[in-house]
Amino acid sequence: MKNDNSTMLNDNTKVLPLQRVDVGQSEVIVGASKAIARLDDPRFNIRPVQQVASACTGAMLTACFMTPLDVIKTRLQAQQAKMSNKCFLYCNGLMDHLCPCDAKASFPDVKPIKPLNGTIDAFFHISRTEGIRSLWSGLGPTLISALPSTIIYFVGYEQFKSKFLEFHYKYLAEVKGSPRGRDIPLLVPLLAGVTARICAVTFVNPVELIRTKMQSEKMTYAQMTTAIRNVIHSQGIWGLWRGLRPTILRDVPFSGIYWASYESIKSHYGVTEPKFTFSFIAGAVSGSIAATVTTPFDVVKTHEQIEFGEKVIFADKPVKQLPTASLIKRLATIYATNGVSGLFSGLGPRLFKVAPACAIMISTFEYSKSFFYHYNVEKYSEKMRNQ
């Protein structure tokens, strides 16, 4: 593009030469950024390392905003008489953590305090008696666990979506050709979300199991090594992936529905580069839809993880084999005991947690992607001018 006034892409899109225009104190790149309002141009693709940075930013902001809400929820759960006497499930919208009901446990910091009367009372009481910083107790371990999972999940989704979209338009579409500038079929984000989530939970599960064991018993690294050897010796190498099934049971359907809903909303409004507000609202709506549909799976998953924690992780003598029951049988048991309301128990609190977490995460991720996209356009512009 040294001397050409314009060039043509394979899909007959005309690209104007890149120029820099001064507008007051800012500069605007015209040409490529205006003629191509798509993020799928290969010259400006978001690099994997940029996707990693975007995912990290979103994960940290989400954890910072959501951890206080879940610390309060955890304190309220800890005082319930019907609560399991060994462990409970802690989640801040990014990660689930199986934690002991033990005041000496390091995460989350659950202390015996006077009865709390709701969220607002808990917020002021904890802030006044323990300091405002206690609302972020467990943030460090959360980030250590959440960052690897979030990076694998979001970067994996972007990569799988790109590959599945290319495969669809190359082999399956009625009009075959380049996927650039064309609609995203509903099946593509669904499969990409499912595949990315399976990869993330499979990779992180052994790390999460080890982290939970260390925090529950305050082990040294030498003791942890011995514990890992004992697990492998008694249960085999697959013992490190105990608890993977219930995690996949809930997270995989959620991810498929979430990404299919989010991409459908973008396509419906013809949005290719969403603004922060749009992605925030779309993320909250998509997260709410996915959370509602998968709540019965969430109920089953919570029951299974609590059982796993009581009989394996926090048990003095861990059992080698847990009794297994099919998903249908567990759902039928819950329905027979509590009816439809039992299958959707906890839907309100779950939506209160999931909707803002999804909104913060996806809007930050999309905003960071947009930033890097325009950064790549700028670098490409400089490269063309220097040729």
Side-chain angles (χ1 to χ4, degrees):
M1 276 172 55
K2 281 186 180 180
N3 300 317
D4 294 340
N5 292 326
S6 64
T7 186
M8 301 293 290
L9 298 179
N10 292 334
D11 56 359
N12 296 323
T13 301
K14 189 173 184 179
V15 182
L16 301 178
L18 296 163
Q19 303 173 22
R20 185 184 298 274
V21 178
D22 292 326
V23 182
Q25 295 181 345
S26 63
E27 295 179 322
V28 178
I29 301 295
V30 300
S33 60
K34 286 189 176 182
I36 300 182
R38 298 195 306 270
L39 295 176
D40 56 0
D41 191 298
R43 297 172 301 175
F44 315 131
N45 275 348
I46 312 299
R47 311 290 186 262
V49 68
Q50 295 172 335
Q51 294 172 350
V52 169
S54 301
C56 283
T57 304
M60 288 188 288
L61 283 178
T62 304
C64 288
F65 277 101
M66 298 305 300
T67 295
L69 293 177
D70 220 60
V71 167
I72 292 172
K73 185 203 73 174
T74 301
R75 296 297 183 89
L76 293 173
Q77 283 182 338
Q79 70 183 11
Q80 294 176 3
K82 295 182 179 180
M83 184 178 165
S84 165
N85 61 356
K86 286 189 176 182
C87 60
F88 60 94
L89 201 60
Y90 174 92
C91 178
N92 68 345
L94 279 177
M95 296 289 293
D96 287 344
H97 303 285
L98 201 58
C99 301
C101 300
D102 184 358
K104 67 182 180 180
S106 60
F107 173 70
D109 190 12
V110 180
K111 300 177 181 178
I113 57 178
K114 76 169 189 176
L116 302 172
N117 299 314
T119 301
I120 296 178
D121 178 61
F123 176 85
F124 284 108
H125 181 83
I126 295 172
S127 302
R128 183 173 58 254
T129 59
E130 303 175 34
I132 194 71
R133 293 180 60 183
S134 64
L135 291 172
W136 279 269
S137 60
L139 178 60
T142 294
L143 289 177
I144 291 174
S145 297
L147 285 179
S149 175
T150 305
I151 289 171
I152 295 171
Y153 179 40
F154 277 84
V155 175
Y157 172 76
E158 291 291 325
Q159 298 297 319
F160 284 126
K161 184 180 75 170
S162 176
K163 298 300 181 183
F164 290 161
L165 193 61
E166 183 178 343
F167 179 86
H168 173 81
Y169 280 113
K170 187 175 182 179
Y171 298 105
L172 304 179
E174 293 183 4
V175 181
K176 298 178 175 57
S178 171
R180 290 169 53 198
R182 302 175 72 174
D183 292 335
I184 299 177
L186 184 64
L187 191 61
V188 168
L190 191 150
L191 290 178
V194 165
T195 309
R197 177 56 74 180
I198 291 175
C199 292
V201 298
T202 302
F203 177 82
V204 173
N205 196 79
V207 178
E208 181 67 9
L209 183 65
I210 293 169
R211 181 200 61 76
T212 303
K213 191 74 173 174
M214 287 186 71
Q215 289 172 341
S216 65
E217 300 181 12
K218 297 183 182 298
M219 291 180 169
T220 64
Y221 286 100
Q223 292 172 324
M224 192 65 244
T225 301
T226 302
I228 294 173
R229 289 174 180 170
N230 291 338
V231 170
I232 296 176
H233 181 265
S234 62
Q235 303 178 23
I237 189 65
W238 298 112
L240 296 176
W241 277 269
R242 293 291 294 272
L244 178 62
R245 176 182 170 273
T247 302
I248 289 180
L249 181 68
R250 185 201 65 179
D251 290 355
V252 168
F254 178 92
S255 297
I257 296 170
Y258 171 76
W259 285 112
S261 300
Y262 181 73
E263 296 290 354
S264 295
I265 293 173
K266 287 173 60 178
S267 297
H268 177 74
Y269 288 98
V271 175
T272 56
E273 186 180 355
K275 301 296 183 183
F276 185 89
T277 304
F278 179 91
S279 55
F280 188 93
I281 296 173
V285 172
S286 302
S288 299
I289 294 172
T292 301
V293 173
T294 60
T295 291
F297 302 112
D298 184 58
V299 173
V300 172
K301 187 241 188 182
T302 300
H303 287 187
E304 288 196 355
Q305 277 204 326
I306 293 296
E307 182 183 12
F308 176 70
E310 290 181 336
K311 296 182 178 180
V312 178
I313 296 182
F314 303 113
D316 295 329
K317 295 181 179 180
V319 299
K320 291 187 177 182
Q321 186 66 39
L322 286 174
T324 58
S326 67
L327 171 62
I328 300 300
K329 185 176 181 179
R330 285 186 177 271
L331 289 174
T333 300
I334 295 172
Y335 177 77
T337 305
N338 301 307
V340 176
S341 60
L343 295 174
F344 290 90
S345 62
L347 176 59
R350 191 180 184 210
L351 288 177
F352 183 73
K353 175 183 63 181
V354 170
C358 289
I360 296 170
M361 182 67 218
I362 193 63
S363 57
T364 306
F365 183 67
E366 292 279 28
Y367 183 85
S368 299
K369 281 171 53 183
S370 178
F371 169 81
F372 285 119
Y373 168 75
H374 291 287
Y375 172 83
N376 293 343
V377 170
E378 172 74 18
K379 289 299 181 182
Y380 184 86
S381 173
E382 292 180 359
K383 179 181 177 180
M384 291 297 100
R385 286 197 308 272
N386 293 331
Q387 287 183 356

